[in-house]
Amino acid sequence: MNVNRRTFIAGTTAAMASASLLSAMTGRAFAQGTDTLKIAFGARGLRTIDPHKSIQGVDNWAIIAIYDKLVDLPRWQFPATVDDLVPRLALNWEGSPDSKTWTIKLREGVKWHKGYGVMTSEDVKFTFDRVTDAVRVGGVRAKFTNIASTDAPDPATVVFNLKQPDPLFMLGVLSDYDGAIMCKKAIEEKGEEPIGTDPIGTGVYQLESVAQDPSQGIMLTANTEYWDTPAATPKLQCVYIADTTARTLAILSGDVHMIEGVRAPGWADSMTQRDPGLIFDVVSPGSFFTVQFNLTVKPFDDIRVRQALFYAIDRDEITTAIAPISKRTYGLNPPSFPGGFTAETIPPEIAYKYDPEKAKALLAEAGMPDGFTFKNDTSQREDFSAIMLMIQDQLRRVGINMDLNIKDHTAFHADQNIGTNTLSQQSSAMPPVPTQVILTYLAKGAEVTADGNGGANMSHYGVAIPGIDDLLDKALAEPDLDKRIAIVQQIEVKALTDAVILPVSDNGFLIVRSPKVDLGFEVVSGYVNWPLSQAKFI
């Protein structure tokens, strides 16, 4: 679907008007006494429940309900120190003095769903052997490449041997959805692909069914043999409603109890006006919204063109429009993370303050005084489309025409994940681990591939032009956290000097919740999916 900013805003206005009308007519017909908590996401349908192959963030809500991790965040915020991590399948852990060996004692007697036996260290070893295997998994592998080997000396002990020291290993590598422990027996029986829609975990919920209608998503039922506190609500249904109007109407009418919010200008305020009782849960910093320039596509192989776009994009205008959910970023790590650049600390030569005249001068120097036209894809999801439509408008001011094709969110990710886009967009949550965003987006080993088994280095940095891998190796070899942060800042300076990735904003992930639903905790920070095991109706 090809649109421009004017038609997008007109459509959004119409959506708000129709939602307001329905709210005025019917109010919220909340279903009392229901045994099913329904949460709706802004996508067309499920892609996979395989934690090692997930590329659609909303699917991760089901993953963390079905699977357990070795450790987790305190509910729900990033911990102040690694010691504040919550033991899950791990009972306790210890790192060696050089932070290269991590020994974990496992919880014993934890049962797999549907009669698949008891979880042991062999399952943990199998999980991490799998996630480090490029043939078997997808884009998450880059996070785990520092694991040299995983040993299982006895059924209740796992030893991770790292290539380089990592004092934040437990937080940065093991606490997110892709650190979920998978069942060796189930994957060997069902197969590598079928496990994506027929998962076997140890989590508080287990899969009941995947609906034939993609919009109806998946139904999860409480695991009656769960090793920890049982689910507060018997069933959890993850449904998919890509259309903003339909998703808005669904919560206003009480058809669903929670929805993925719309990270677009004015939406949260309009929802509050329609129903002041709605609760808005927002994690901060949320998702890092970045734009990567495909160095293999002309004219973006010319650094002057890339830098021209950097100067032509007004990030302050973007974040102001989507405030308060969106906040300005300056480097790849947000200001709230260790070593994150702020407006005051970022070196002036890579700050890329909005300067359309400088952008035009760079284009002229590159032999394009009249600008140029290029095709680009984005997602229909509101945070993607709203930001890219603003960028489209800003580029037009300096003579660059971005012919923007807005796709269904699921299809957008599927295509971009095989390297089809020109200015790729990522919106991902990261832990407060300074090297994580580097490993994910800039490492040569994370290069996107045409078969979809590559990573999220959409620019081909380190392949098309020299990258930051030597500096990254140096950072990962540095056990002192302060010295490591200093090297990370050098990496950010180089990547921004090369103009391969533009940090735009941190967009707090928003879930709108009925006041009849109690989560059992307050959402503060952390990853953009949080546990619903203790969510209940009140």
Side-chain angles (χ1 to χ4, degrees), residues 291-297 300-301 306 416 419 421-426 440-444 446-449 455-468 495 498-502:
V291 176
Q292 294 187 52
F293 290 64
N294 190 335
L295 302 171
T296 68
V297 175
F300 299 104
D301 58 340
R306 301 195 301 272
Q416 182 167 272
N421 217 355
T422 305
L423 303 188
S424 295
Q425 307 117 56
Q426 297 285 346
T440 303
Y441 294 151
L442 298 179
K444 181 178 179 180
E447 183 189 16
V448 67
T449 59
N457 176 354
M458 304 288 177
S459 64
H460 304 273
Y461 196 37
V463 180
I465 64 173
I468 47 75
D498 290 339
V500 296
I501 183 170
L502 180 67

Coordinates of all heavy atoms in Angstrom, one line a residue, residues 291-297 300-301 306 416 419 421-426 440-444 446-449 455-468 495 498-502:
V291 N 17.2 3.2 12.1 CA 17.1 3.1 10.7 C 18.5 2.7 10.2 O 19.5 3.4 10.5 CB 16.7 4.4 10.0 CG1 16.7 4.3 8.5 CG2 15.3 4.8 10.5
Q292 N 18.6 1.6 9.4 CA 19.9 1.1 8.9 C 19.9 1.3 7.4 O 18.9 1.1 6.7 CB 20.1 -0.3 9.2 CG 20.3 -0.6 10.7 CD 20.6 -2.1 10.9 OE1 21.6 -2.6 10.3 NE2 19.9 -2.7 11.8
F293 N 21.0 1.8 6.9 CA 21.2 2.1 5.4 C 21.8 0.9 4.7 O 22.9 0.5 5.1 CB 22.0 3.4 5.3 CG 21.3 4.6 5.7 CD1 21.0 4.8 7.0 CD2 21.0 5.6 4.8 CE1 20.3 6.0 7.4 CE2 20.4 6.8 5.2 CZ 20.0 7.0 6.5
N294 N 21.2 0.4 3.7 CA 21.7 -0.8 3.0 C 22.9 -0.3 2.1 O 22.7 0.3 1.1 CB 20.6 -1.4 2.2 CG 21.0 -2.7 1.6 OD1 22.2 -3.0 1.4 ND2 20.0 -3.6 1.3
L295 N 24.1 -0.7 2.5 CA 25.3 -0.2 1.9 C 25.5 -0.9 0.5 O 26.3 -0.4 -0.3 CB 26.5 -0.5 2.7 CG 26.5 0.1 4.1 CD1 27.6 -0.4 5.0 CD2 26.5 1.6 4.0
T296 N 24.7 -1.9 0.2 CA 24.8 -2.5 -1.1 C 23.9 -1.9 -2.2 O 23.9 -2.4 -3.3 CB 24.5 -4.1 -1.0 OG1 23.1 -4.2 -0.7 CG2 25.4 -4.7 0.1
V297 N 23.1 -1.0 -1.8 CA 22.2 -0.3 -2.7 C 22.6 1.1 -3.0 O 22.8 1.9 -2.1 CB 20.7 -0.3 -2.1 CG1 19.8 0.5 -3.0 CG2 20.2 -1.7 -1.9
F300 N 23.4 4.6 -1.7 CA 23.7 4.6 -0.3 C 25.1 4.0 0.0 O 25.5 3.9 1.2 CB 22.6 3.9 0.5 CG 21.3 4.6 0.4 CD1 20.3 4.1 -0.5 CD2 21.0 5.8 1.0 CE1 19.1 4.8 -0.6 CE2 19.8 6.5 0.9 CZ 18.8 6.0 0.1
D301 N 25.8 3.6 -1.0 CA 27.1 3.2 -0.9 C 28.1 4.4 -0.8 O 29.2 4.3 -0.4 CB 27.6 2.3 -2.1 CG 27.4 3.0 -3.4 OD1 26.6 4.0 -3.5 OD2 28.1 2.6 -4.4
R306 N 24.6 9.2 2.6 CA 24.1 8.7 3.9 C 24.1 9.8 4.9 O 23.1 10.1 5.7 CB 24.9 7.5 4.4 CG 24.9 6.3 3.5 CD 25.4 5.1 4.2 NE 26.7 5.2 4.7 CZ 27.8 4.9 4.0 NH1 27.7 4.5 2.7 NH2 29.0 5.0 4.5
Q416 N 11.9 -8.0 5.2 CA 13.1 -7.3 5.6 C 14.1 -8.2 6.2 O 15.3 -8.0 6.1 CB 12.7 -6.2 6.7 CG 13.9 -5.4 7.2 CD 13.5 -4.2 8.0 OE1 13.2 -3.1 7.4 NE2 13.4 -4.3 9.3
G419 N 16.6 -9.3 3.8 CA 17.5 -8.2 3.2 C 16.9 -7.5 2.0 O 17.7 -6.9 1.2
N421 N 15.1 -4.6 2.1 CA 14.8 -3.2 2.3 C 16.0 -2.3 2.0 O 17.1 -2.8 2.0 CB 14.2 -3.0 3.7 CG 13.1 -1.9 3.7 OD1 12.8 -1.3 2.7 ND2 12.6 -1.7 4.9
T422 N 15.7 -1.0 1.8 CA 16.8 -0.1 1.6 C 17.2 0.7 2.8 O 18.3 0.7 3.2 CB 16.3 1.0 0.5 OG1 15.9 0.2 -0.7 CG2 17.5 1.9 0.1
L423 N 16.2 1.3 3.5 CA 16.4 1.9 4.8 C 15.6 1.0 5.8 O 14.4 1.1 6.0 CB 15.9 3.3 4.9 CG 16.4 4.3 3.9 CD1 16.0 5.7 4.3 CD2 18.0 4.3 3.9
S424 N 16.3 0.0 6.3 CA 15.6 -1.0 7.2 C 15.3 -0.3 8.6 O 16.1 0.5 9.0 CB 16.5 -2.2 7.4 OG 16.6 -2.9 6.2
Q425 N 14.2 -0.7 9.2 CA 13.8 -0.2 10.5 C 13.7 -1.3 11.5 O 13.2 -2.4 11.2 CB 12.5 0.5 10.4 CG 12.4 1.6 9.3 CD 11.3 1.3 8.3 OE1 10.2 1.1 8.6 NE2 11.7 1.2 7.0
Q426 N 14.3 -1.1 12.6 CA 14.2 -2.0 13.7 C 13.6 -1.3 14.9 O 13.9 -0.2 15.2 CB 15.5 -2.6 14.1 CG 16.2 -3.4 13.0 CD 15.6 -4.8 12.8 OE1 14.9 -5.2 13.7 NE2 15.9 -5.4 11.7
T440 N 23.9 -6.9 18.0 CA 22.7 -7.2 17.3 C 22.7 -6.5 15.9 O 22.3 -7.1 14.9 CB 21.5 -6.7 18.1 OG1 21.5 -7.4 19.4 CG2 20.2 -7.0 17.4
Y441 N 23.1 -5.3 15.8 CA 22.9 -4.5 14.6 C 24.2 -4.2 13.8 O 24.1 -3.9 12.6 CB 22.3 -3.1 15.0 CG 20.9 -3.2 15.5 CD1 20.5 -2.2 16.4 CD2 20.1 -4.2 15.1 CE1 19.2 -2.2 16.9 CE2 18.8 -4.2 15.6 CZ 18.3 -3.3 16.5 OH 17.0 -3.3 17.0
L442 N 25.4 -4.3 14.4 CA 26.6 -3.9 13.7 C 27.6 -5.0 13.5 O 28.5 -4.8 12.7 CB 27.2 -2.7 14.5 CG 26.4 -1.5 14.7 CD1 27.2 -0.4 15.5 CD2 26.0 -0.9 13.4
A443 N 27.5 -6.1 14.2 CA 28.6 -7.1 14.1 C 28.5 -7.8 12.7 O 27.4 -8.0 12.2 CB 28.4 -8.2 15.2
K444 N 29.6 -8.1 12.1 CA 29.7 -8.7 10.8 C 29.0 -10.1 10.9 O 28.3 -10.5 9.9 CB 31.2 -9.0 10.4 CG 31.4 -9.6 9.1 CD 32.9 -9.7 8.8 CE 33.1 -10.4 7.4 NZ 34.6 -10.5 7.1
A446 N 26.4 -10.8 12.3 CA 24.9 -10.6 12.4 C 24.4 -10.1 11.1 O 23.2 -9.7 11.0 CB 24.6 -9.7 13.5
E447 N 25.1 -10.2 10.0 CA 24.7 -9.8 8.7 C 23.4 -10.5 8.2 O 23.3 -11.7 8.4 CB 25.8 -10.0 7.6 CG 25.4 -9.4 6.3 CD 26.4 -9.8 5.2 OE1 27.2 -10.8 5.4 OE2 26.3 -9.2 4.1
V448 N 22.5 -9.7 7.7 CA 21.2 -10.3 7.2 C 21.6 -11.1 6.0 O 22.5 -10.9 5.2 CB 20.2 -9.2 6.8 CG1 20.8 -8.3 5.6 CG2 18.9 -9.7 6.5
T449 N 20.8 -12.2 5.8 CA 21.1 -13.1 4.7 C 19.8 -13.4 3.9 O 18.7 -13.3 4.5 CB 21.7 -14.5 5.1 OG1 20.8 -15.1 6.1 CG2 23.0 -14.3 5.8
G455 N 21.3 -12.3 10.7 CA 20.9 -11.5 11.8 C 20.3 -10.2 11.4 O 19.7 -10.1 10.4
A456 N 20.4 -9.2 12.3 CA 19.7 -7.9 12.1 C 20.7 -6.8 11.7 O 20.4 -5.7 11.8 CB 19.0 -7.5 13.4
N457 N 21.9 -7.2 11.2 CA 22.8 -6.2 10.6 C 22.3 -6.0 9.2 O 22.8 -6.6 8.2 CB 24.2 -6.7 10.6 CG 25.2 -5.8 9.9 OD1 24.9 -4.8 9.3 ND2 26.5 -6.2 10.0
M458 N 21.3 -5.1 9.0 CA 20.7 -4.9 7.7 C 21.5 -4.0 6.8 O 21.2 -4.0 5.6 CB 19.3 -4.3 8.0 CG 18.4 -5.0 8.9 SD 17.7 -6.5 8.1 CE 16.8 -7.2 9.4
S459 N 22.5 -3.4 7.3 CA 23.3 -2.5 6.5 C 24.5 -3.2 5.8 O 25.1 -2.7 4.9 CB 23.9 -1.4 7.4 OG 24.8 -1.9 8.3
H460 N 24.7 -4.5 6.2 CA 25.9 -5.2 5.7 C 27.2 -4.6 6.2 O 28.2 -4.7 5.5 CB 25.9 -5.4 4.2 CG 24.6 -6.0 3.7 ND1 24.4 -7.4 3.6 CD2 23.4 -5.5 3.3 CE1 23.2 -7.7 3.1 NE2 22.6 -6.5 2.9
Y461 N 27.1 -3.9 7.3 CA 28.3 -3.3 7.8 C 29.4 -4.3 8.2 O 29.0 -5.4 8.8 CB 27.9 -2.5 9.1 CG 28.9 -1.5 9.6 CD1 29.7 -0.7 8.7 CD2 29.0 -1.2 11.0 CE1 30.5 0.3 9.2 CE2 29.9 -0.2 11.5 CZ 30.6 0.5 10.6 OH 31.5 1.5 11.1
G462 N 30.6 -4.0 7.9 CA 31.7 -5.0 8.1 C 31.9 -5.9 7.0 O 32.9 -6.7 6.9
V463 N 31.0 -5.9 6.0 CA 31.1 -6.7 4.8 C 31.2 -5.8 3.6 O 32.2 -5.9 2.8 CB 29.8 -7.7 4.6 CG1 30.0 -8.5 3.4 CG2 29.7 -8.6 5.9
A464 N 30.2 -4.9 3.4 CA 30.3 -3.9 2.3 C 31.4 -2.9 2.5 O 32.0 -2.5 1.6 CB 28.9 -3.2 2.2
I465 N 31.6 -2.5 3.8 CA 32.7 -1.6 4.1 C 33.3 -2.1 5.4 O 32.6 -2.8 6.2 CB 32.3 -0.1 4.2 CG1 31.3 0.1 5.4 CG2 31.7 0.4 2.9 CD1 30.9 1.5 5.6
P466 N 34.5 -1.7 5.8 CA 35.1 -2.1 7.1 C 34.2 -1.7 8.2 O 33.6 -0.6 8.2 CB 36.4 -1.4 7.1 CG 36.8 -1.2 5.7 CD 35.5 -1.0 5.0
G467 N 34.0 -2.6 9.2 CA 33.1 -2.3 10.3 C 33.8 -2.1 11.6 O 34.9 -1.5 11.7
I468 N 33.2 -2.6 12.7 CA 33.6 -2.3 14.0 C 34.1 -3.6 14.8 O 34.2 -3.6 16.0 CB 32.5 -1.6 14.9 CG1 31.2 -2.3 14.7 CG2 32.4 -0.2 14.4 CD1 31.0 -3.6 15.4
A495 N 30.5 4.0 14.0 CA 29.3 3.6 13.2 C 28.6 4.9 12.8 O 28.0 5.0 11.7 CB 28.4 2.7 14.0
D498 N 30.5 6.7 10.1 CA 30.3 6.0 8.8 C 28.8 6.1 8.3 O 28.5 5.7 7.2 CB 30.6 4.5 8.9 CG 32.2 4.3 9.1 OD1 32.9 5.2 8.7 OD2 32.5 3.2 9.6
A499 N 28.0 6.6 9.2 CA 26.6 6.8 8.8 C 25.9 5.6 8.3 O 25.2 5.6 7.2 CB 26.4 8.0 7.8
V500 N 26.0 4.5 9.0 CA 25.3 3.3 8.6 C 24.1 3.0 9.4 O 23.2 2.3 8.9 CB 26.3 2.1 8.8 CG1 27.5 2.2 7.8 CG2 26.8 1.9 10.2
I501 N 23.9 3.6 10.6 CA 22.7 3.3 11.4 C 22.4 4.6 12.1 O 23.3 5.3 12.7 CB 22.9 2.2 12.4 CG1 21.7 1.9 13.2 CG2 24.1 2.4 13.3 CD1 21.7 0.6 14.0
L502 N 21.1 5.0 12.0 CA 20.7 6.3 12.7 C 19.8 5.9 13.8 O 18.7 5.4 13.7 CB 19.9 7.1 11.7 CG 19.4 8.5 12.2 CD1 20.5 9.4 12.6 CD2 18.4 9.1 11.2

